[in-house]
Amino acid sequence: MKNFREKANMTQSQVAEAIHKSRSAISKIENGEQEIDAYSIVQWARATNAEAQAAIIMFGADVIAHAAHMLTLVPAMIIWW
């Protein structure tokens, strides 16, 4: 999580404001002193533009390949409906 924040050039305070947590909570999460829930991970990834990286960490590298494959099916599903 800290890596996402640093790559986005954001401070702990900026992330805290973006995901509606205290700066202290952000510090504790980054230092492994506090767990983070899945919803907050998604918010953090969005705030730092790290959605793809978070998905890979959470679901493995195949998640991008599966998503790309699913997108190829969308036009066929639209025609079917």
Side-chain angles (χ1 to χ4, degrees):
M1 304 310 295
K2 181 177 183 178
N3 190 31
F4 294 166
R5 177 182 61 78
E6 288 176 341
K7 285 189 177 196
N9 292 317
M10 293 177 75
T11 65
Q12 288 181 341
S13 296
Q14 289 170 320
V15 171
E17 185 176 330
I19 71 168
H20 309 290
K21 293 202 177 286
S22 68
R23 195 218 44 87
S24 175
I26 299 304
S27 177
K28 288 178 183 176
I29 291 166
E30 288 185 351
N31 291 314
E33 299 169 9
Q34 180 175 319
E35 291 186 12
I36 183 170
D37 60 275
Y39 180 74
S40 295
I41 291 171
V42 171
Q43 287 182 306
W44 193 310
R46 285 182 180 154
T48 59
N49 285 327
E51 293 100 330
Q53 297 90 330
I56 289 169
I57 289 169
M58 289 174 23
F59 305 111
D62 287 342
V63 72
I64 302 299
H66 290 301
H69 177 71
M70 292 299 291
L71 287 175
T72 65
L73 300 176
V74 170
M77 293 180 83
I78 292 172
I79 293 169
W80 180 75
W81 278 79

